[in-house]
Amino acid sequence: MNTDTETLYEELQNVLGKDQLSTNITVREQHGRDESYHEPSNPDLVVFPSCAEDVRAVVKTAAAHEVPVIPFGLGTSLEGHVIPYERGITIDFSKMNRIVEVREKDFLVTVQPGVTRSQLNKELKKHGLFFSVDPGADATLGGMAATNASGTTSVKYGVMRDQVRDLEVVTPDGSIIHTGNLAQKSSSGYHLNSLFVGSEGTLGCITELTLRVYGIPEHIVAARASFQELDDAVEAVVSILQAGVPIARVELLDETSMVQANRFSETDYHEKPTLFLEFHGNEAGLAQDVEFTKEIVADHGCESVAFETDQGARNRLWDARHNLAYAYIHGNKGKKMMVTDVCVPISELSGAIRDARKRLDTFGLTGGILGHVGDGNYHVLLMIDMENPREVEKAAQFNEQIVEYALERRGTCTGEHGVGVGKQKYQELEHGDSLRVMERIKEALDPKGIFNPNKLIKQKEAGQ
Amino acid sequence: MNTDTETLYEELQNVLGKDQLSTNITVREQHGRDESYHEPSNPDLVVFPSCAEDVRAVVKTAAAHEVPVIPFGLGTSLEGHVIPYERGITIDFSKMNRIVEVREKDFLVTVQPGVTRSQLNKELKKHGLFFSVDPGADATLGGMAATNASGTTSVKYGVMRDQVRDLEVVTPDGSIIHTGNLAQKSSSGYHLNSLFVGSEGTLGCITELTLRVYGIPEHIVAARASFQELDDAVEAVVSILQAGVPIARVELLDETSMVQANRFSETDYHEKPTLFLEFHGNEAGLAQDVEFTKEIVADHGCESVAFETDQGARNRLWDARHNLAYAYIHGNKGKKMMVTDVCVPISELSGAIRDARKRLDTFGLTGGILGHVGDGNYHVLLMIDMENPREVEKAAQFNEQIVEYALERRGTCTGEHGVGVGKQKYQELEHGDSLRVMERIKEALDPKGIFNPNKLIKQKEAGQ
C-alpha cells in the first residue's frame, strides 16, 4: 500500500465495517479483469457496501481525494467496463443482493443491484412472473442496467432500458436520487431513467432498481430450424418479422457455433446454420403463429424443423444457446474471447452477416457467428491467442471493419455489450457532434471526473 | 415593433425568405396561446423555417441577442408549453411537413416535425403500416416527441419515447446533431433520444424524426362494456391486465363523459360508466382473448357488452372517444378547459379514481373522468369560467389535491401532457434532488437559457 492508499483505507475504516474493505491482492485481482481480452489492471481498494448510505460515504471520501470509483457487479463485461485503469476504489455490490419487494398487481419488482437475473427469476416464479432480459451470462441487475444489457427475448419484450421504472442512484456529489417513479408512464421532467441506464457507472452508482416484470406466458413453444445456407436462415428471420408474427425469441447460430454447442452441451443438433425460436401466447393464437412460421421457414429452404413444447427439451435448447460463449472458451483453451456486437437495421442484416462471414474467412481467424437476429444484432465470436501479436492485430482490424460496415448503414457499434474501453474509439464516428452533448452532460454531473473515468467517454485528463 | 425586435427582424431577413417571417399581430396571437386555460402571451416574431439550416440560422441569431426561441407545432398543448411568456421568437414548423422516407422492411419512417399523426397514418396505410401513438388531438409529431405524448394505444405499443429511433436536433450552440441511429437497439453512449423526447423544447429544436411503425394488425375487434358503478369498470381493467390479456386499448369514460360524447358525436351509447376496448392479433388468438375478456367483465358486474368488428362501427366508437375534449368544450361555451393528468401504479388506480370522483362532487365543479386506465393514467376534465375567481381557485386546488394524492403513491403529476408551466410547481415535490440533476443538464446544454425558457424547469433568471 502506498501512502495515499493507506490514508484512504484509514478514512474508509471510519465509515465501513472491517469486512467491507479489502486491499488483499487476490481480491484486487478478482476486480481487475472481466470476461474478455481486455488487459487487467487492479484497483487500489475494494469496498463491499451493504446499503446506499455506505455507497454515499465511499463516494464522499473518494470525491474528497479525487480518487476514481468503479461499480462492480459480477465482472461479466466484455468491453472492460469494470477494469480500473486509473486505479482507485472498486465498489463491489455482492453484499447488496436482496429482493426488496414484489408488487404483483403492478408487475414491478424492487431489487438491490447485486441480485442476479437467475436469483430474481427463481423468486418471481413463485408469483407466476418472470423478468425478461436475458443476456446469456448470469449477470447482476445493477450491471445489466449500467450497460443497457439485452439478449434473446428483446425482440418481444425490449432491452434493459425498457424495463427500468426507477433507479436509486448515488451521484458524484453524494446525493441519493430517484430517477423515476412507479407509474407506467410519465411526461414529468427529463427522463433520467434512460440517461442513467447505459451510462456505465460514469454518472452515478445504482443502489436500487425497480423493474418491470411479466406474467409467465400461458403457452410457450420452442423450435429449432436448420438451413443449408446461413443466408437462408437470415432471410427467414426477416420474413417472419415482416409477416408480423410476434416472435419472443429468434437466435441464429452458424455451423461453427452449432459444433461448439453440441460438443459442450452434449446435444446432437444438426450442425448446420440454425435458428432457435420461441413463441409466447395463448394456445389458439400460438398454434396459428407456429403454423405460419413453419410455412415461412419452408419457403426459405429450411431442411428440418423440430418443435419442443415440454419444458425439459426447451431448457436444453436454451442452455445450449446460453452456454455458447463458455463453449467457445472451453473449446479454445489458452485463448481469449473478443466478440463483435454491431446492430444494423433489419433491411441490412443479410448483407452484414454475409460480409462478416467472408471477412472471417479472409482473415483466417477462429470464430463463429451467432446473434439476436430479430433485433438486427449479431456477434462474431473470435478466440484469440493474445501471445500472437499478428493474430491480435488481425482480430482488431476485423472488429474495426465490422463496426465500420454497420455505421455506414446507420447501425451502432454496440447493440448490447456497451462501450467500456473497447468501443470508445468508434464513438466520434458513430455520434459526431452528439458526443459533445454527452461530454457536457458528463462534465456537468461529474465535474471531478471520478466516476468510472475514461469508460464510455474519453476524458480530457483523468481527475480533471 | 420596438427597436430590439426591429434589429432582430432585419437580421433574420438576411437569412430567411420574406414569407418565412412575421410580426403581424394576428399571426403572433395565433402563436400566443394553446388549447387550455393558461393565459396567452405573444411572441415578438414568428418564423417559418423550411429546413434544419433555417432553424440553425434562427438559433444563431437568437443566441447572439440572447432572445428566447420557442418551437411550435399546432399549439394543441394543454400545459402552456408553447406560450412565449418571456417573448422572443416562435419557430413554427408548419412548412416542415414532409414525410421523408418510409422504410417498410425496417418498420421505420422519417418525417419532418410539422407532419401530423393523421397525415402520417394516411401515408402509412398504403404500405400496410400504422403509427401507434394516439393522443386524441391531431398534433404534429415534433410536438408529440417534445412532450412525450401518448394515448389510447400506449398500453400495448408504448409512448412516444418508445417509438423514437432517431432525432435530428438543432442545439442551443447551433450544432445539428442526431440523437440515435436506425438500429433496433444500441448500448452506445448516453441515450440522447430519451433525453430529448419530453424535453419540451428546452434543450433543442427537433428538425427531423425517425419513428418506429407497426404492421396493421391482421384482426381488430373493438368493444364497449358498460357498468353500473365506476369502481366496477376500473376493477375490471385491473383484472384484464392481471390475466395477461394483451389488450391494445382500454379507455374509461364516466357517466358525465358518456353524456357529452353522445350529445356531440350523435351516438346512443348507454350513459353509464363505460370501457372502450380494442384487441389486435391473429384471428384465433384474438377470439380466445375476447372470450376471456367477456368472462372477466361479467365477473365485475358488466351490464352490457357490444363488440364491433366492422371498421365503420369501430371508427364511430373511437371518434366519439377522441372528440371528447372538444365535446366538453362545445357543451360548455365560454368556459376554458383544465385537465388533470396524473398516472398512478395500477394497484392504486381504483382508489385514485374513487377519490377524484368524491373530490369533484365536494368542490361542486363541472367535469368528468376519462382516461387511459390500462396505464394507470386518468384525467379529470374540468370546464372553468375564467371570469369567476372562486371557481378558478377551486379548480386549482382540486388539481393540486389530485397531484398530491398521486405523488404520495409514487405516481407522477403528468402521465402524458407534460410539465410546461402548469405542472412546474410540482417538480420539486415529485423529483426532489433529481431536479438538481435536470437543472445541471439544462445549464450545461443551454447556458444562455434561451430555449423555451421557464418551461419544464424554472430558471433562476431568464437569459442567465
Side-chain angles (χ1 to χ4, degrees), chain B residues 28-29 31-33 39-46 68-70 72 80-90 452-453 455:
Chain B
R28 286 167 54 217
E29 279 177 356
H31 295 83
R33 57 176 184 244
E39 205 178 323
S41 168
N42 298 342
D44 297 317
L45 280 158
V46 183
V69 289
I70 302 97
F72 186 100
H81 292 94
V82 295
I83 307 177
Y85 290 112
E86 321 289 336
R87 312 181 66 104
I89 306 168
T90 287
N452 210 3
K455 308 293 163 51

mmCIF file of all heavy atoms in Angstrom, chain B residues 28-29 31-33 39-46 68-70 72 80-90 452-453 455:
data_model
loop_
_atom_site.group_PDB
_atom_site.id
_atom_site.type_symbol
_atom_site.label_atom_id
_atom_site.label_comp_id
_atom_site.label_asym_id
_atom_site.label_seq_id
_atom_site.Cartn_x
_atom_site.Cartn_y
_atom_site.Cartn_z
ATOM 1 N N ARG B 28 -49.040 36.575 -34.522
ATOM 2 C CA ARG B 28 -48.437 36.470 -33.183
ATOM 3 C C ARG B 28 -49.447 35.960 -32.174
ATOM 4 O O ARG B 28 -49.116 35.130 -31.320
ATOM 5 C CB ARG B 28 -47.869 37.833 -32.761
ATOM 6 C CG ARG B 28 -46.566 38.170 -33.521
ATOM 7 C CD ARG B 28 -46.173 39.634 -33.356
ATOM 8 N NE ARG B 28 -46.099 40.008 -31.968
ATOM 9 C CZ ARG B 28 -46.468 41.189 -31.459
ATOM 10 N NH1 ARG B 28 -46.949 42.142 -32.260
ATOM 11 N NH2 ARG B 28 -46.379 41.439 -30.179
ATOM 12 N N GLU B 29 -50.689 36.430 -32.281
ATOM 13 C CA GLU B 29 -51.721 35.949 -31.344
ATOM 14 C C GLU B 29 -52.003 34.459 -31.513
ATOM 15 O O GLU B 29 -52.239 33.754 -30.535
ATOM 16 C CB GLU B 29 -53.016 36.764 -31.511
ATOM 17 C CG GLU B 29 -52.940 38.092 -30.770
ATOM 18 C CD GLU B 29 -54.171 38.965 -30.972
ATOM 19 O OE1 GLU B 29 -55.060 38.568 -31.755
ATOM 20 O OE2 GLU B 29 -54.223 40.049 -30.357
ATOM 21 N N HIS B 31 -49.935 32.321 -32.141
ATOM 22 C CA HIS B 31 -48.809 31.617 -31.513
ATOM 23 C C HIS B 31 -48.627 31.994 -30.052
ATOM 24 O O HIS B 31 -47.605 31.670 -29.452
ATOM 25 C CB HIS B 31 -47.531 31.879 -32.313
ATOM 26 C CG HIS B 31 -47.581 31.305 -33.686
ATOM 27 N ND1 HIS B 31 -48.181 31.957 -34.742
ATOM 28 C CD2 HIS B 31 -47.147 30.115 -34.178
ATOM 29 C CE1 HIS B 31 -48.095 31.207 -35.831
ATOM 30 N NE2 HIS B 31 -47.474 30.088 -35.511
ATOM 31 N N GLY B 32 -49.609 32.658 -29.502
ATOM 32 C CA GLY B 32 -49.500 33.108 -28.117
ATOM 33 C C GLY B 32 -50.407 32.349 -27.162
ATOM 34 O O GLY B 32 -50.556 32.727 -26.007
ATOM 35 N N ARG B 33 -51.020 31.271 -27.643
ATOM 36 C CA ARG B 33 -51.967 30.531 -26.779
ATOM 37 C C ARG B 33 -51.897 29.045 -27.112
ATOM 38 O O ARG B 33 -51.336 28.628 -28.121
ATOM 39 C CB ARG B 33 -53.382 31.065 -27.018
ATOM 40 C CG ARG B 33 -53.806 30.983 -28.470
ATOM 41 C CD ARG B 33 -55.244 31.416 -28.690
ATOM 42 N NE ARG B 33 -55.596 31.215 -30.088
ATOM 43 C CZ ARG B 33 -55.911 32.195 -30.949
ATOM 44 N NH1 ARG B 33 -55.955 33.453 -30.546
ATOM 45 N NH2 ARG B 33 -56.214 31.916 -32.195
ATOM 46 N N GLU B 39 -52.954 31.469 -19.523
ATOM 47 C CA GLU B 39 -53.048 32.840 -20.038
ATOM 48 C C GLU B 39 -52.182 33.036 -21.297
ATOM 49 O O GLU B 39 -51.034 32.623 -21.304
ATOM 50 C CB GLU B 39 -52.562 33.790 -18.944
ATOM 51 C CG GLU B 39 -53.142 35.180 -19.059
ATOM 52 C CD GLU B 39 -52.640 36.040 -17.895
ATOM 53 O OE1 GLU B 39 -52.516 35.484 -16.772
ATOM 54 O OE2 GLU B 39 -52.353 37.230 -18.121
ATOM 55 N N PRO B 40 -52.722 33.675 -22.325
ATOM 56 C CA PRO B 40 -51.933 33.899 -23.543
ATOM 57 C C PRO B 40 -50.834 34.946 -23.341
ATOM 58 O O PRO B 40 -50.900 35.763 -22.419
ATOM 59 C CB PRO B 40 -52.965 34.420 -24.550
ATOM 60 C CG PRO B 40 -54.296 34.146 -23.952
ATOM 61 C CD PRO B 40 -54.107 34.165 -22.475
ATOM 62 N N SER B 41 -49.854 34.909 -24.213
ATOM 63 C CA SER B 41 -48.753 35.881 -24.237
ATOM 64 C C SER B 41 -48.076 35.740 -25.590
ATOM 65 O O SER B 41 -47.718 34.633 -25.992
ATOM 66 C CB SER B 41 -47.765 35.580 -23.098
ATOM 67 O OG SER B 41 -46.588 36.323 -23.269
ATOM 68 N N ASN B 42 -47.926 36.832 -26.314
ATOM 69 C CA ASN B 42 -47.473 36.727 -27.705
ATOM 70 C C ASN B 42 -45.953 36.761 -27.864
ATOM 71 O O ASN B 42 -45.259 37.434 -27.097
ATOM 72 C CB ASN B 42 -48.060 37.873 -28.533
ATOM 73 C CG ASN B 42 -49.570 37.806 -28.571
ATOM 74 O OD1 ASN B 42 -50.166 36.763 -28.287
ATOM 75 N ND2 ASN B 42 -50.205 38.913 -28.921
ATOM 76 N N PRO B 43 -45.459 36.060 -28.892
ATOM 77 C CA PRO B 43 -44.043 36.200 -29.253
ATOM 78 C C PRO B 43 -43.836 37.547 -29.957
ATOM 79 O O PRO B 43 -44.797 38.160 -30.422
ATOM 80 C CB PRO B 43 -43.816 35.050 -30.230
ATOM 81 C CG PRO B 43 -45.155 34.810 -30.856
ATOM 82 C CD PRO B 43 -46.180 35.138 -29.802
ATOM 83 N N ASP B 44 -42.593 37.986 -30.051
ATOM 84 C CA ASP B 44 -42.280 39.216 -30.787
ATOM 85 C C ASP B 44 -42.334 38.968 -32.290
ATOM 86 O O ASP B 44 -42.707 39.854 -33.057
ATOM 87 C CB ASP B 44 -40.874 39.717 -30.419
ATOM 88 C CG ASP B 44 -40.781 40.089 -28.946
ATOM 89 O OD1 ASP B 44 -41.736 40.738 -28.443
ATOM 90 O OD2 ASP B 44 -39.792 39.715 -28.293
ATOM 91 N N LEU B 45 -41.918 37.771 -32.658
ATOM 92 C CA LEU B 45 -41.768 37.406 -34.068
ATOM 93 C C LEU B 45 -42.145 35.947 -34.239
ATOM 94 O O LEU B 45 -41.934 35.153 -33.325
ATOM 95 C CB LEU B 45 -40.291 37.458 -34.446
ATOM 96 C CG LEU B 45 -39.581 38.740 -34.771
ATOM 97 C CD1 LEU B 45 -38.086 38.513 -34.564
ATOM 98 C CD2 LEU B 45 -39.837 39.099 -36.227
ATOM 99 N N VAL B 46 -42.641 35.610 -35.414
ATOM 100 C CA VAL B 46 -42.841 34.194 -35.746
ATOM 101 C C VAL B 46 -42.046 33.889 -37.003
ATOM 102 O O VAL B 46 -42.115 34.637 -37.983
ATOM 103 C CB VAL B 46 -44.337 33.868 -35.963
ATOM 104 C CG1 VAL B 46 -44.519 32.377 -36.237
ATOM 105 C CG2 VAL B 46 -45.169 34.295 -34.755
ATOM 106 N N PRO B 68 -35.218 34.476 -26.475
ATOM 107 C CA PRO B 68 -35.804 33.130 -26.428
ATOM 108 C C PRO B 68 -36.263 32.608 -27.786
ATOM 109 O O PRO B 68 -36.708 33.383 -28.645
ATOM 110 C CB PRO B 68 -37.016 33.294 -25.511
ATOM 111 C CG PRO B 68 -36.703 34.475 -24.659
ATOM 112 C CD PRO B 68 -35.917 35.395 -25.558
ATOM 113 N N VAL B 69 -36.156 31.287 -27.981
ATOM 114 C CA VAL B 69 -36.780 30.613 -29.128
ATOM 115 C C VAL B 69 -37.747 29.557 -28.588
ATOM 116 O O VAL B 69 -37.426 28.824 -27.661
ATOM 117 C CB VAL B 69 -35.752 29.932 -30.070
ATOM 118 C CG1 VAL B 69 -34.958 30.966 -30.836
ATOM 119 C CG2 VAL B 69 -34.828 28.995 -29.320
ATOM 120 N N ILE B 70 -38.938 29.532 -29.186
ATOM 121 C CA ILE B 70 -39.988 28.615 -28.737
ATOM 122 C C ILE B 70 -40.486 27.810 -29.930
ATOM 123 O O ILE B 70 -41.102 28.350 -30.842
ATOM 124 C CB ILE B 70 -41.185 29.385 -28.111
ATOM 125 C CG1 ILE B 70 -40.735 30.248 -26.944
ATOM 126 C CG2 ILE B 70 -42.292 28.435 -27.663
ATOM 127 C CD1 ILE B 70 -40.475 31.693 -27.298
ATOM 128 N N PHE B 72 -42.912 25.479 -32.128
ATOM 129 C CA PHE B 72 -44.380 25.456 -32.164
ATOM 130 C C PHE B 72 -44.852 24.493 -33.255
ATOM 131 O O PHE B 72 -44.423 24.609 -34.405
ATOM 132 C CB PHE B 72 -44.875 26.877 -32.469
ATOM 133 C CG PHE B 72 -46.362 27.060 -32.413
ATOM 134 C CD1 PHE B 72 -46.971 27.615 -31.284
ATOM 135 C CD2 PHE B 72 -47.172 26.698 -33.489
ATOM 136 C CE1 PHE B 72 -48.349 27.801 -31.228
ATOM 137 C CE2 PHE B 72 -48.550 26.883 -33.435
ATOM 138 C CZ PHE B 72 -49.150 27.431 -32.302
ATOM 139 N N GLY B 80 -49.493 24.912 -21.563
ATOM 140 C CA GLY B 80 -48.818 26.178 -21.826
ATOM 141 C C GLY B 80 -47.423 26.085 -22.399
ATOM 142 O O GLY B 80 -46.676 27.068 -22.387
ATOM 143 N N HIS B 81 -47.059 24.890 -22.943
ATOM 144 C CA HIS B 81 -45.693 24.702 -23.463
ATOM 145 C C HIS B 81 -45.255 25.747 -24.474
ATOM 146 O O HIS B 81 -44.096 26.144 -24.506
ATOM 147 C CB HIS B 81 -45.580 23.347 -24.170
ATOM 148 C CG HIS B 81 -45.692 22.181 -23.265
ATOM 149 N ND1 HIS B 81 -46.877 21.530 -23.016
ATOM 150 C CD2 HIS B 81 -44.760 21.546 -22.533
ATOM 151 C CE1 HIS B 81 -46.659 20.537 -22.186
ATOM 152 N NE2 HIS B 81 -45.393 20.525 -21.871
ATOM 153 N N VAL B 82 -46.179 26.144 -25.360
ATOM 154 C CA VAL B 82 -45.777 26.988 -26.499
ATOM 155 C C VAL B 82 -46.016 28.481 -26.257
ATOM 156 O O VAL B 82 -45.783 29.294 -27.147
ATOM 157 C CB VAL B 82 -46.532 26.559 -27.784
ATOM 158 C CG1 VAL B 82 -46.132 25.146 -28.192
ATOM 159 C CG2 VAL B 82 -48.040 26.664 -27.597
ATOM 160 N N ILE B 83 -46.484 28.822 -25.074
ATOM 161 C CA ILE B 83 -46.796 30.237 -24.832
ATOM 162 C C ILE B 83 -45.518 30.983 -24.437
ATOM 163 O O ILE B 83 -44.872 30.632 -23.453
ATOM 164 C CB ILE B 83 -47.887 30.384 -23.742
ATOM 165 C CG1 ILE B 83 -49.118 29.530 -24.115
ATOM 166 C CG2 ILE B 83 -48.278 31.861 -23.576
ATOM 167 C CD1 ILE B 83 -50.232 29.530 -23.069
ATOM 168 N N PRO B 84 -45.147 32.016 -25.215
ATOM 169 C CA PRO B 84 -43.855 32.700 -25.003
ATOM 170 C C PRO B 84 -43.943 33.747 -23.895
ATOM 171 O O PRO B 84 -43.930 34.941 -24.175
ATOM 172 C CB PRO B 84 -43.568 33.361 -26.362
ATOM 173 C CG PRO B 84 -44.657 32.905 -27.285
ATOM 174 C CD PRO B 84 -45.799 32.503 -26.437
ATOM 175 N N TYR B 85 -44.002 33.298 -22.652
ATOM 176 C CA TYR B 85 -44.124 34.250 -21.542
ATOM 177 C C TYR B 85 -42.923 35.183 -21.447
ATOM 178 O O TYR B 85 -43.029 36.269 -20.897
ATOM 179 C CB TYR B 85 -44.335 33.509 -20.214
ATOM 180 C CG TYR B 85 -45.701 32.864 -20.124
ATOM 181 C CD1 TYR B 85 -45.835 31.481 -20.118
ATOM 182 C CD2 TYR B 85 -46.865 33.646 -20.069
ATOM 183 C CE1 TYR B 85 -47.089 30.891 -20.052
ATOM 184 C CE2 TYR B 85 -48.117 33.055 -19.999
ATOM 185 C CZ TYR B 85 -48.233 31.684 -19.991
ATOM 186 O OH TYR B 85 -49.472 31.097 -19.923
ATOM 187 N N GLU B 86 -41.783 34.750 -21.995
ATOM 188 C CA GLU B 86 -40.596 35.619 -21.991
ATOM 189 C C GLU B 86 -40.438 36.297 -23.351
ATOM 190 O O GLU B 86 -39.350 36.755 -23.683
ATOM 191 C CB GLU B 86 -39.326 34.799 -21.683
ATOM 192 C CG GLU B 86 -39.460 33.710 -20.634
ATOM 193 C CD GLU B 86 -39.619 34.287 -19.246
ATOM 194 O OE1 GLU B 86 -39.178 35.429 -19.052
ATOM 195 O OE2 GLU B 86 -40.211 33.604 -18.391
ATOM 196 N N ARG B 87 -41.485 36.286 -24.162
ATOM 197 C CA ARG B 87 -41.468 36.830 -25.524
ATOM 198 C C ARG B 87 -40.423 36.103 -26.392
ATOM 199 O O ARG B 87 -40.190 34.916 -26.162
ATOM 200 C CB ARG B 87 -41.259 38.343 -25.513
ATOM 201 C CG ARG B 87 -42.182 39.061 -24.525
ATOM 202 C CD ARG B 87 -41.989 40.554 -24.542
ATOM 203 N NE ARG B 87 -42.390 41.106 -25.821
ATOM 204 C CZ ARG B 87 -43.531 41.774 -26.025
ATOM 205 N NH1 ARG B 87 -44.398 41.931 -25.035
ATOM 206 N NH2 ARG B 87 -43.822 42.277 -27.201
ATOM 207 N N GLY B 88 -39.867 36.775 -27.391
ATOM 208 C CA GLY B 88 -38.866 36.135 -28.244
ATOM 209 C C GLY B 88 -39.441 35.624 -29.550
ATOM 210 O O GLY B 88 -40.457 36.131 -30.028
ATOM 211 N N ILE B 89 -38.766 34.619 -30.125
ATOM 212 C CA ILE B 89 -39.072 34.129 -31.474
ATOM 213 C C ILE B 89 -39.768 32.771 -31.404
ATOM 214 O O ILE B 89 -39.223 31.814 -30.862
ATOM 215 C CB ILE B 89 -37.775 33.945 -32.301
ATOM 216 C CG1 ILE B 89 -36.951 35.246 -32.310
ATOM 217 C CG2 ILE B 89 -38.088 33.466 -33.707
ATOM 218 C CD1 ILE B 89 -35.533 35.078 -32.847
ATOM 219 N N THR B 90 -40.977 32.683 -31.950
ATOM 220 C CA THR B 90 -41.624 31.380 -32.080
ATOM 221 C C THR B 90 -41.232 30.765 -33.416
ATOM 222 O O THR B 90 -41.312 31.423 -34.455
ATOM 223 C CB THR B 90 -43.153 31.524 -31.964
ATOM 224 O OG1 THR B 90 -43.476 31.785 -30.601
ATOM 225 C CG2 THR B 90 -43.863 30.251 -32.414
ATOM 226 N N ASN B 452 -36.935 27.791 -25.006
ATOM 227 C CA ASN B 452 -38.220 27.712 -24.299
ATOM 228 C C ASN B 452 -38.057 27.973 -22.802
ATOM 229 O O ASN B 452 -38.388 27.119 -21.964
ATOM 230 C CB ASN B 452 -38.887 26.351 -24.556
ATOM 231 C CG ASN B 452 -40.415 26.469 -24.511
ATOM 232 O OD1 ASN B 452 -40.968 27.556 -24.344
ATOM 233 N ND2 ASN B 452 -41.094 25.349 -24.653
ATOM 234 N N PRO B 453 -37.582 29.161 -22.456
ATOM 235 C CA PRO B 453 -37.220 29.442 -21.063
ATOM 236 C C PRO B 453 -38.402 29.314 -20.106
ATOM 237 O O PRO B 453 -39.541 29.623 -20.454
ATOM 238 C CB PRO B 453 -36.701 30.877 -21.108
ATOM 239 C CG PRO B 453 -37.172 31.452 -22.399
ATOM 240 C CD PRO B 453 -37.319 30.296 -23.349
ATOM 241 N N LYS B 455 -40.003 26.836 -19.131
ATOM 242 C CA LYS B 455 -40.880 25.688 -19.285
ATOM 243 C C LYS B 455 -40.138 24.493 -18.698
ATOM 244 O O LYS B 455 -38.905 24.463 -18.737
ATOM 245 C CB LYS B 455 -41.224 25.415 -20.752
ATOM 246 C CG LYS B 455 -41.750 26.622 -21.497
ATOM 247 C CD LYS B 455 -43.119 27.086 -21.002
ATOM 248 C CE LYS B 455 -43.435 28.500 -21.452
ATOM 249 N NZ LYS B 455 -43.262 28.753 -22.889
#
